[in-house]
Amino acid sequence: MSSVKQQIVDRLTQALSPDRLAVTDDSALHAGHSEQARAGESHFTVEIVSDAFTGQTRVQRHRLVNQALGDLMKAQVHALAIKAKAPAEAG
């Protein structure tokens, strides 16, 4: 089984065909916060640039990311920071 980080990368790549994608495991920064953080691979930051975000509001973009991650959001990801941009906004 692949890591949670790799599963996030795979699912977002498949669903949103990003131009750029960076996934950072922030779990170590939250070590005293929750059981999930102590176990690792539970807190992440996703920075993603995709055509799928063109014309979408911030809320719509976050929903697209959460939809793509599906059951990972319920079972394994405790916290997710999302920075989603359309290519024209990425600079």
Side-chain angles (χ1 to χ4, degrees):
M1 169 132 312
S2 62
S3 69
V4 175
K5 180 179 177 179
Q6 188 59 52
Q7 290 178 65
I8 292 170
V9 169
D10 293 346
R11 289 180 186 206
L12 292 176
T13 299
Q14 182 178 1
L16 301 171
S17 302
D19 295 339
R20 285 189 298 204
L21 175 60
V23 179
T24 306
D25 184 349
D26 299 322
S27 300
L29 300 174
H30 303 273
H33 174 72
S34 68
E35 283 299 317
Q36 291 97 337
R38 279 190 279 280
E41 286 205 297
S42 61
H43 292 64
F44 294 91
T45 297
V46 168
E47 298 179 59
I48 183 170
V49 177
S50 173
D51 283 329
F53 302 134
T54 301
Q56 301 291 317
T57 66
R58 182 176 177 198
V59 170
Q60 290 169 323
R61 293 171 186 196
H62 285 220
R63 285 182 181 152
L64 287 171
V65 169
N66 287 328
Q67 254 181 340
L69 297 180
D71 63 326
L72 284 178
M73 292 302 297
K74 294 177 185 173
Q76 294 175 280
V77 177
H78 178 71
L80 182 67
I82 302 170
K83 299 174 185 176
K85 296 181 180 182
E89 303 164 334

